[in-house]
Amino acid sequence: MKKKMIWVAGILIATSAYAQTDVSTGIMRGKDYGVTYLLPKTEIEIVVQATKHTYMPGEFCKYADRYLRMNNVSADPNIYWTIDKVQTHVAGVPDKDNVYFVKLKDKTVAPLMELTEDGIVRSINIPLNSHTIPATKITAAAQEIIDPRKFLTEEILMASSRAKMAELVAKEIYNIRESKNALLRGEADNMPQDGAQLKIMLDNLNLQERAMTEMFSGTLKEEPQTFTIRLTPKEMNNEVAFRFSKRLGIVANDDLAGEPYYISITDLKTPAIPKEDGKKKVDGVAYNVPGRAHVILTGNNKKIFDGELPVTQFGTIEYLAPVLFNKNSTIKVLFDTATGGLIKVDRESN
């Protein structure tokens, strides 16, 4: 996620070392110059890693058992999906009901305030390059599709019938296998001079064998895909989180072609939430104290996730006291942008 950096002249600190910071909830005060930031609210994110399998029968699929003893080779094309992995965690989105404005004042210390691109507070007095940046995941390249006909001999291509052509291709496959065995045993007529040459020869033979064998077995193309489902947490019992179809993949929640995966969320009532006093004016930097939720995700007759997750909406809001931000020390604060909670607070003397 991109970050935007704001050098805030006088944020949090008044002229006096213990003066209160002038912070208002959700409003801009006329022409006052300051910084507006938001706290996040939590969404439960379900990440489904699935694979689309596309099977195309081979040209000689009907002869697979006769010539290569390959059983159960289908003559019909098929597309089907499988689920490889399901992960459940939380993500933060801007909470437009919790917007704060920090008024800037002259002749004060200038801490560094970092916001996310969405305006969520990320840190105070912590340089951007000190945050951990996740590594980019590089996926493996798809298996190369080879045209088997470029390996076929003139005799094979001139065969009088499909059955004869299949017989000749099968014989060529067996010849390739014999050549590979001869190379590995050191019995080939023209042995390679070194290991590198041997590898090149074996790789070429393996490629030819695979291409010709696929003329009988068919090809199976696998395309991994990732689906992300976002849910706004509230107490719920066995509600449909998403639906999955072996034929179509992830489908809409009202599409009965898909098998339902259910989610249950229970508010664990931690921490205890104080009663509202109706006051709008507050002092200090606001942060969330997220509550805890027990989340159960089930599907395909088994539990996929059963654990606790932090949920901002089940918690409360607290404030970092302005007395912390004085000229005698530098306070470094790191916030969790998924929940708005405190991750770390350090104090360095000036």
Side-chain angles (χ1 to χ4, degrees):
M1 178 181 289
K2 295 180 180 177
K3 306 283 194 303
K4 59 182 180 182
M5 309 295 294
I6 301 175
W7 280 101
V8 182
I11 188 173
L12 310 176
I13 304 175
T15 305
S16 168
Y18 296 95
Q20 290 185 334
T21 304
D22 195 1
V23 181
S24 302
T25 56
I27 63 170
M28 298 285 288
R29 289 195 172 180
K31 296 182 179 180
D32 285 342
Y33 179 68
V35 173
T36 299
Y37 69 94
L38 299 91
L39 294 180
K41 60 182 178 180
T42 301
E43 288 189 347
I44 292 179
E45 188 172 82
I46 302 171
V47 180
V48 182
Q49 296 178 10
T51 300
K52 179 182 179 182
H53 308 264
T54 304
Y55 168 76
M56 294 300 294
E59 183 178 350
F60 305 133
C61 58
K62 294 180 180 179
Y63 305 99
D65 185 42
R66 182 190 302 180
Y67 294 122
L68 295 179
R69 297 296 183 264
M70 298 173 68
N71 301 320
N72 302 320
V73 174
S74 174
D76 301 316
N78 186 27
I79 296 177
Y80 63 96
W81 289 78
T82 57
I83 289 181
D84 306 317
K85 188 177 183 181
V86 179
Q87 294 176 299
T88 305
H89 49 79
V90 296
V93 296
D95 185 357
K96 295 181 180 179
D97 293 329
N98 281 302
V99 184
Y100 294 85
F101 175 69
V102 179
K103 182 179 178 181
L104 306 188
K105 298 184 179 182
D106 297 331
K107 300 179 181 178
T108 54
V109 178
L112 175 67
M113 189 171 190
E114 181 188 342
L115 308 180
T116 69
E117 189 177 41
D118 295 326
I120 297 172
V121 62
R122 178 69 179 90
S123 67
I124 298 173
N125 289 330
I126 299 179
L128 174 63
N129 57 13
S130 68
H131 302 329
T132 301
I133 300 175
T136 302
K137 185 178 180 181
I138 301 175
T139 56
Q143 188 178 41
E144 184 182 2
I145 299 175
I146 304 297
D147 179 9
R149 287 187 169 270
K150 71 180 184 180
F151 300 118
L152 302 185
T153 64
E154 181 181 0
E155 182 185 6
I156 296 173
L157 293 172
M158 297 297 292
S160 57
S161 66
R162 184 175 293 272
K164 183 62 176 177
M165 194 174 185
E167 180 185 356
L168 294 175
V169 170
K171 287 182 178 179
E172 190 68 17
I173 292 172
Y174 289 123
N175 289 336
I176 291 172
R177 292 176 181 175
E178 289 178 4
S179 297
K180 287 166 54 179
N181 287 334
L183 283 171
L184 292 172
R185 294 169 182 164
E187 299 173 354
D189 293 336
N190 297 309
M191 284 299 296
Q193 297 179 354
D194 53 33
Q197 254 189 1
L198 175 63
K199 183 179 184 307
I200 292 173
M201 294 175 69
L202 288 174
D203 287 345
N204 286 333
L205 290 171
N206 285 331
L207 185 64
Q208 293 179 45
E209 181 184 0
R210 177 169 71 85
M212 292 184 184
T213 302
E214 286 176 350
M215 297 182 79
F216 293 88
S217 66
T219 59
L220 184 62
K221 181 181 178 183
E222 297 182 342
E223 302 173 81
Q225 296 189 28
T226 300
F227 300 89
T228 301
I229 298 98
R230 288 278 188 94
L231 302 172
T232 300
K234 61 180 181 179
E235 288 207 327
M236 56 180 70
N237 183 31
N238 281 338
E239 294 191 17
V240 176
F242 65 94
R243 287 181 180 269
F244 177 78
S245 166
K246 291 182 179 179
R247 185 172 61 88
L248 302 172
I250 298 292
V251 297
N253 280 11
D254 58 356
D255 189 341
L256 299 183
E259 176 187 353
Y261 283 67
Y262 297 102
I263 189 169
S264 296
I265 302 176
T266 304
D267 183 356
L268 296 179
K269 308 296 183 182
T270 55
I273 301 176
K275 294 181 179 180
E276 294 283 347
D277 58 8
K279 294 182 180 179
K280 281 289 186 182
K281 185 175 180 179
V282 294
D283 293 310
V285 175
Y287 66 93
N288 289 326
V289 180
R292 304 292 297 178
H294 184 205
V295 179
I296 300 175
L297 182 66
T298 58
N300 198 24
N301 297 319
K302 62 182 179 182
K303 283 186 180 180
I304 299 171
F305 178 84
D306 185 354
E308 293 185 17
L309 293 175
V311 174
T312 296
Q313 292 89 317
F314 294 166
T316 185
I317 296 176
E318 296 294 341
Y319 302 89
L320 289 172
V323 70
L324 292 173
F325 301 91
N326 59 65
K327 294 182 179 181
N328 298 323
S329 62
T330 299
I331 296 294
K332 293 184 177 181
V333 186
L334 183 63
F335 300 90
D336 185 343
T337 55
T339 65
L342 294 177
I343 294 179
K344 181 173 65 174
V345 179
D346 287 338
R347 183 169 185 169
E348 296 180 359
S349 298
N350 294 330

